């Protein structure tokens, strides 16, 4: 079972949203944070957390941008310092970090 999929616009080829070095550092923080919190463990009761590095999420402002599915929460300004808080508070704790949300696109039932 999968609990969340985290998509981070981390190293855009034509960076319009952020400094690519900040995106790369945020990606490294996301990878290490997911590992440190044991979120990739297939035995995790809530399900595993997948992570993907995106070239561009087509939100060309306030980057790096992190999209969390299935919640449809888009975070802007995702620096390495913010990654751990987002993982702990939102992904593990279920409480979004409201101050950093730039968009909401919840999934609809089919």
């Amino acid at each position: 079972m999968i609990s969340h999929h985290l998509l981070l616009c981390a190293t855009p080829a034509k960076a319009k949203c952020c400094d690519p070095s900040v995106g790369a550092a945020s990606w490294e923080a996301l990878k290490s944070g997911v590992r440190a919190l044991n979120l990739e463990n297939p035995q995790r009761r809530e399900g595993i957390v997948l992570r993907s590095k995106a070239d561009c999420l087509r939100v060309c402002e306030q980057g790096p941008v992190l999209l969390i599915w299935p919640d449809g929460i888009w975070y802007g300004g995702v620096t390495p310092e913010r990654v751990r808080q987002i993982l702990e508070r939102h992904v593990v704790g279920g409480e979004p970090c409201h101050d950093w949300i730039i968009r909401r696109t919840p999934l609809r039932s089919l």
Side-chain angles (χ1 to χ4, degrees):
M1 179 172 77
I2 299 167
S3 74
H4 292 88
H5 191 166
L6 315 177
L7 296 102
L8 181 67
C9 182
T11 54
K14 297 179 183 176
K16 294 180 183 177
C17 68
C18 71
D19 178 340
S21 66
V22 175
S26 296
W27 173 247
E28 291 304 317
L30 183 66
K31 287 192 313 185
S32 63
V34 165
R35 282 189 208 117
L37 293 169
N38 202 29
L39 300 177
E40 295 175 314
N41 182 348
Q43 302 305 314
R44 186 172 176 259
R45 186 182 42 135
E46 300 87 351
I48 64 169
V49 173
L50 302 176
R51 57 180 171 75
S52 296
K53 179 171 36 172
D55 179 58
C56 180
L57 292 174
R58 303 190 75 173
V59 178
C60 297
E61 58 187 46
Q62 301 178 35
V65 174
L66 174 64
L67 170 57
I68 299 185
W69 285 112
D71 306 346
I73 301 286
W74 299 67
Y75 288 106
V78 180
T79 61
E81 296 78 24
R82 290 183 177 180
V83 166
R84 185 64 174 234
Q85 290 182 62
I86 293 169
L87 290 173
E88 290 176 352
R89 289 174 46 200
H90 183 152
V91 177
V92 175
E95 182 60 38
C97 302
H98 297 284
D99 291 343
W100 304 326
I101 294 173
I102 60 170
R103 186 178 288 180
R104 291 176 185 260
T105 55
L107 289 174
R108 297 181 212 191
S109 324
L110 298 176

